[in-house]
C-alpha cells in the first residue's frame, strides 16, 4: 500500500512568520510531487509541483524535495491569515495521485 | 491557464433521482479525468479514473453501476449518480490532467444533497 503521510496539525504560526509543512512518502519510485491548498468547503488548488531534488521557489512558496529521504516540504514565507487552509501533499502513482490527509495551517494576526 | 469547469455547483434532490455532473477542461485537452468524493472533515477519496474513449477504471468499493462515468471527448467527462440515496450526499470533485506525472487541475466541486 503506497502511502503519503502528513501531520494533521493544526500548525499555528503568527502573521509574517515562515510556515513549514512536511510530507513523507513510501514509494521510492514516485516521480512527481505536488502541493495543493484546500480552503474549507472548497476544492483543492494546485500551488506547487516539483520533480527534481532540491528547492523550487515561486513567490512566497518554496517546495523542497529529497528523494533519498523520501521527503517533500513546503515553506510559506511571510505567512498571511489568507494562507490559513489545509495543505495537501500528493505524489504520483502511475496516472493517479496519492494524497496525504493534509496539514491544517492557521495563521493568526 | 489549466481551468476546469464543473457544474452544477450544488444539487438538492429527492431520493431515487439520478443526478448528472459535468466536468470540462476549458483551455487544455485532458488525457485523463478523475472523480473524487469528499465527506466533511475527511480526505479526498478517488472514485474512478477515466480516459477519453475508454471505460472508466473504478477504485475498489466503488459501484460502477451506481456511478456511471462517460468520457466522451478530451475536454468533457460526466458522472451520473443513479438512483441517489441520502448516503450518496457528499462533495463530488473532478480533476483533469494532460498525462502521467502531470498535475491534476480540479473543478470547483458539486455539493450533492439527497433528501
Amino acid at each position: 500500500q503506497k502511502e503519503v503521510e502528513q501531520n494533521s496539525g493544526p500548525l499555528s504560526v503568527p502573521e509574517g512568520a515562515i510556515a513549514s509543512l512536511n510530507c513523507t512518502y513510501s514509494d521510492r519510485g514516485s516521480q512527481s510531487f505536488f502541493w495543493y491548498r484546500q480552503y474549507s468547503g472548497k476544492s483543492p488548488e494546485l500551488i506547487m509541483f516539483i520533480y527534481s531534488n532540491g528547492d523550487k521557489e515561486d513567490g512566497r512558496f518554496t517546495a523542497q524535495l529529497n528523494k533519498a529521504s523520501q521527503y517533500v516540504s513546503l515553506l510559506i514565507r511571510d505567512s498571511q491569515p489568507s494562507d490559513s487552509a489545509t495543505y495537501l501533499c500528493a505524489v504520483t502513482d502511475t496516472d493517479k495521485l496519492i494524497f496525504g490527509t493534509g496539514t491544517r495551517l492557521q495563521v493568526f494576526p | 491557464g489549466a481551468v476546469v469547469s464543473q457544474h452544477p455547483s450544488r444539487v438538492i434532490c429527492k431520493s431515487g433521482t439520478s443526478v448528472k455532473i459535468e466536468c470540462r477542461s476549458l483551455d487544455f485537452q485532458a488525457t485523463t479525468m478523475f472523480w473524487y468524493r469528499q465527506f466533511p472533515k475527511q480526505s479526498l477519496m478517488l472514485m474512478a479514473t477515466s480516459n477519453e474513449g475508454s471505460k472508466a477504471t473504478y477504485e475498489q468499493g466503488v459501484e460502477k453501476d451506481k456511478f456511471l462515468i462517460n468520457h466522451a471527448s478530451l475536454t468533457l467527462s460526466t458522472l451520473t449518480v443513479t438512483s441517489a440515496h441520502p448516503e450518496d450526499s457528499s462533495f463530488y470533485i473532478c480533476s483533469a490532467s494532460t498525462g502521467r506525472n502531470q498535475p491534476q487541475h480540479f473543478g470547483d466541486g458539486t455539493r450533492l444533497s439527497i433528501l
Side-chain angles (χ1 to χ4, degrees):
Chain A
Q1 180 79 4
K2 296 173 184 175
E3 294 182 339
V4 175
E5 295 194 358
Q6 297 180 256
N7 188 315
S8 61
L11 172 66
S12 292
V13 300
E15 184 174 357
I18 295 174
S20 177
L21 303 157
N22 305 313
C23 170
T24 58
Y25 59 96
S26 64
D27 182 10
R28 193 170 284 279
S30 297
Q31 297 183 26
S32 305
F33 307 86
F34 307 91
W35 282 98
Y36 288 85
R37 176 175 62 198
Q38 187 174 24
Y39 291 112
S40 180
K42 302 294 186 182
S43 65
E45 172 192 9
L46 178 68
I47 53 173
M48 288 287 290
F49 58 90
I50 187 166
Y51 300 134
S52 305
N53 274 331
D55 295 1
K56 179 181 178 183
E57 188 174 316
D58 183 0
R60 296 187 296 114
F61 299 99
T62 299
Q64 299 175 317
L65 174 61
N66 183 325
K67 289 187 177 180
S69 300
Q70 294 173 238
Y71 179 92
V72 194
S73 65
L74 179 70
L75 301 178
I76 305 175
R77 287 180 297 282
D78 188 23
S79 295
Q80 301 297 310
S82 58
D83 294 327
S84 298
T86 296
Y87 288 80
L88 304 171
C89 173
V91 172
T92 49
D93 173 21
T94 61
D95 57 351
K96 298 189 293 188
L97 288 180
I98 307 296
F99 282 90
T101 53
T103 298
R104 190 156 63 94
L105 173 66
Q106 294 178 334
V107 181
F108 56 91
Chain B
V3 177
V4 175
S5 171
Q6 183 177 343
H7 76 91
S9 58
R10 185 172 183 94
V11 180
I12 301 172
C13 57
K14 292 181 180 178
S15 186
T17 306
S18 291
V19 177
K20 181 189 256 188
I21 303 169
E22 282 194 357
C23 180
R24 292 180 185 272
S25 56
L26 297 186
D27 53 0
F28 66 102
Q29 293 190 322
T31 304
T32 311
M33 287 186 167
F34 305 84
W35 288 95
Y36 293 84
R37 182 166 55 180
Q38 188 174 36
F39 292 105
K41 299 192 185 302
Q42 293 189 23
S43 304
L44 287 171
M45 187 193 84
L46 179 65
M47 299 174 67
T49 302
S50 100
N51 293 290
E52 183 258 343
S54 308
K55 288 185 179 179
T57 302
Y58 290 81
E59 295 299 300
Q60 192 171 3
V62 178
E63 300 173 59
K64 60 183 180 183
D65 295 331
K66 171 85 172 170
F67 299 99
L68 301 179
I69 292 171
N70 183 277
H71 193 157
S73 74
L74 284 172
T75 60
L76 173 64
S77 177
T78 60
L79 167 69
T80 301
V81 183
T82 62
S83 187
H85 292 288
E87 59 266 28
D88 298 321
S89 299
S90 188
F91 189 41
Y92 291 85
I93 316 171
C94 73
S95 70
S97 170
T98 55
R100 186 169 290 195
N101 293 317
Q102 297 303 308
Q104 288 183 23
H105 302 281
F106 285 84
D108 287 341
T110 298
R111 198 160 300 281
L112 177 62
S113 300
I114 308 298
L115 305 177

